[in-house]
Amino acid sequence: AKIQQRKFELYKKIIGNEGHGSYGFPWDVVVLTAGDKVQEQSFREQLEWRKSLSVLPRSVDFHCICDPPGPRIGNGGATLVALSYLEDCYGPSRLSQLKVLLIHAGGYSQRTPHHSASGKIFALLPVGPVPSSTMLEMCLAMLCDLRPCPGVFVKCGDDIVIFDSALVELSSTGFTALAHRSPVEVAVSHGVFILGPDGQCRRFTHKPNLD
């Protein structure tokens, strides 16, 4: 609770003091991926409305990018589509200097169909850093005290991860994944990183069985 509240307070300072103090949002660009053009347009309208309410960082470039028509391409494919779009938008040289937060939000919310058009990323929450917070503001608040190097940070838009950012180091080259230790009973329902004796990830598996 203390970590969450600290992040909430920092996020409120960021959106209230941008350009007028030492508080700044760590990401230059925030990208929301959408499942199709209809959802993309809904995301754009939601973003403009949230901006008008002054609950989003003003210094950030927000983009909405939908999957191409045809079979679903998953988060991996959506990541490649987003990177291609950003390279066209900023150019390879400029993009390599930017800190990009890529939030995958293109699911159709089959278990919560009332969110199928707007996406769970704009679902209202009973708590959050600002009045009438959505999952988007919660995601941004939980990451607002990280200090990333230029690169791309990928996150799903339908989960809330509360963690102590002081324990996270994002200065290494290559890929860095955030994870936490859990019992096997929890691991069978999630993605699992298998570490070697040196602490480096040797293998990744998704929803493994108990064996």
Side-chain angles (χ1 to χ4, degrees):
K2 290 183 178 179
I3 291 175
Q4 176 178 281
Q5 191 57 40
R6 187 173 70 241
K7 289 172 182 276
F8 283 176
E9 294 301 322
L10 177 58
Y11 185 77
K12 286 187 283 189
K13 289 178 180 178
I14 288 172
I15 62 175
N17 292 279
E18 282 189 318
H20 302 284
S22 58
Y23 300 105
F25 195 64
W27 312 98
D28 304 306
V29 178
V30 173
V31 178
L32 302 182
T33 63
D36 54 34
K37 280 290 185 182
V38 174
Q39 194 175 61
E40 177 189 300
Q41 183 58 34
S42 174
F43 285 5
R44 293 183 187 278
E45 293 173 1
Q46 288 276 359
L47 281 175
E48 290 305 311
W49 181 49
R50 307 302 293 174
K51 288 178 183 178
S52 72
L53 298 177
S54 299
V55 297
L56 298 177
R58 296 185 298 274
S59 62
V60 176
D61 289 345
F62 284 91
H63 298 273
C64 299
I65 305 169
C66 72
D67 293 350
R72 299 302 302 275
I73 59 177
N75 287 350
T79 297
L80 296 178
V81 169
L83 292 177
S84 177
Y85 169 89
L86 292 173
E87 187 175 68
D88 291 342
C89 184
Y90 294 101
S93 178
R94 174 64 176 144
L95 180 59
S96 68
Q97 302 171 22
L98 295 175
K99 301 167 186 175
V100 179
L101 174 58
L102 175 56
I103 302 176
H104 287 301
Y108 286 125
S109 306
Q110 293 177 336
R111 285 172 291 185
T112 54
H114 53 292
H115 293 139
S116 60
S118 61
K120 285 183 282 189
I121 191 65
F122 291 107
L124 290 173
L125 299 176
V127 297
V130 295
S132 300
S133 287
T134 67
M135 283 289 291
L136 177 59
E137 286 84 36
M138 181 65 88
C139 287
L140 299 182
M142 292 303 100
L143 301 175
C144 73
D145 57 349
L146 286 176
R147 289 296 174 260
C149 291
V152 181
F153 188 97
V154 181
K155 185 189 182 306
C156 288
D158 61 355
D159 63 352
I160 299 173
V161 182
I162 302 171
F163 60 95
D164 186 353
S165 296
L167 302 177
V168 177
E169 174 58 58
L170 296 177
S171 62
S172 300
T173 58
F175 292 89
T176 298
L178 304 187
H180 60 85
R181 295 184 182 274
S182 295
V184 174
E185 292 75 17
V186 174
V188 295
S189 300
H190 297 81
V192 178
F193 296 100
I194 300 173
L195 308 183
D198 57 356
Q200 298 296 308
C201 181
R202 299 306 178 193
R203 191 159 65 93
F204 173 80
T205 183
H206 186 62
K207 295 183 178 179
N209 58 46
L210 287 174
D211 298 330

